Amino acid sequence: MKHAIKLLLVLVILAFSSPAAGQDAAVQDTLLTPAQWMEFNENIAEAILSENEGVKVGALRQIIRYGHFLDMDRVSSFDVMRIYRDHKDDPMRRMAVLALGNMEDRWAVEFLDMLSEYEESETIRKTMEEVVSAYWEAHGGNPYQ
């Protein structure tokens, strides 16, 4: 429990540091050192596994926002995919889909593409299709079409 609170505190500090840094906050947020990015990456990977739902939500939000700067491993992709597949809350499942799209993991995107036709929630299915489309657009097109 103490470790989960520490992770949540680190995520909150990183998310809200330098609020008056200027109008282009996205650029300011990316000025971490390589060591800081590695630590942030490790904290996110741990937070995804937390039993605390708030910590998981915070981790998914950070992946959605900074996923292109992170170097999440395949195991983390599996953990986020598990949230999409097993969570009972549709907004949480949708956040997991968005996070998977920003993790730059081709396996995850191909898996979302395969599962989208079986998704019962229209909102999540549309999100999956948009995530898959955006990924292939950013990576030179879908080689399967």
Side-chain angles (χ1 to χ4, degrees), residues 72-85 96-97 99-116 128 131-132 135-136 139 143-144:
M72 305 296 289
D73 60 14
R74 180 63 47 83
V75 173
S76 295
S77 293
F78 291 158
D79 295 334
V80 175
M81 184 64 74
R82 199 169 293 117
I83 293 171
Y84 156 68
R85 295 198 43 159
V97 168
L100 287 165
N102 284 348
M103 291 175 78
E104 296 295 320
D105 185 345
R106 182 175 172 157
W107 169 85
V109 170
E110 289 177 350
F111 204 74
L112 288 175
D113 190 22
M114 179 183 69
L115 292 175
S116 65
M128 292 167 83
V131 162
V132 169
Y135 177 86
W136 288 122
H139 291 86
Y144 306 113

Side-chain angles (χ1 to χ4, degrees), residues 18-137:
S18 303
Q23 293 197 5
D24 194 2
V27 172
Q28 185 66 27
D29 288 342
T30 62
L31 295 178
L32 297 177
T33 67
Q36 289 170 322
W37 276 115
M38 285 177 43
E39 184 176 353
F40 184 60
N41 198 82
E42 291 170 12
N43 289 339
I44 296 291
E46 281 185 45
I48 288 296
L49 299 174
S50 174
E51 292 183 23
N52 182 315
E53 288 294 305
V55 172
K56 281 185 185 179
V57 167
L60 290 174
R61 286 183 178 164
Q62 297 305 317
I63 295 170
I64 291 167
R65 183 166 184 176
Y66 300 110
H68 299 293
F69 301 107
L70 298 173
D71 186 23
M72 305 296 289
D73 60 14
R74 180 63 47 83
V75 173
S76 295
S77 293
F78 291 158
D79 295 334
V80 175
M81 184 64 74
R82 199 169 293 117
I83 293 171
Y84 156 68
R85 295 198 43 159
D86 298 340
H87 208 280
K88 293 178 174 104
D89 184 43
D90 276 357
M92 185 76 149
R93 293 177 64 232
R94 184 173 181 270
M95 283 181 64
V97 168
L98 292 169
L100 287 165
N102 284 348
M103 291 175 78
E104 296 295 320
D105 185 345
R106 182 175 172 157
W107 169 85
V109 170
E110 289 177 350
F111 204 74
L112 288 175
D113 190 22
M114 179 183 69
L115 292 175
S116 65
E117 66 184 273
Y118 303 105
E119 177 56 50
E120 294 177 5
S121 166
E122 174 120 3
T123 302
I124 295 174
R125 184 179 47 75
K126 285 182 180 179
T127 302
M128 292 167 83
E129 291 169 354
E130 290 171 5
V131 162
V132 169
S133 178
Y135 177 86
W136 288 122
E137 184 176 317

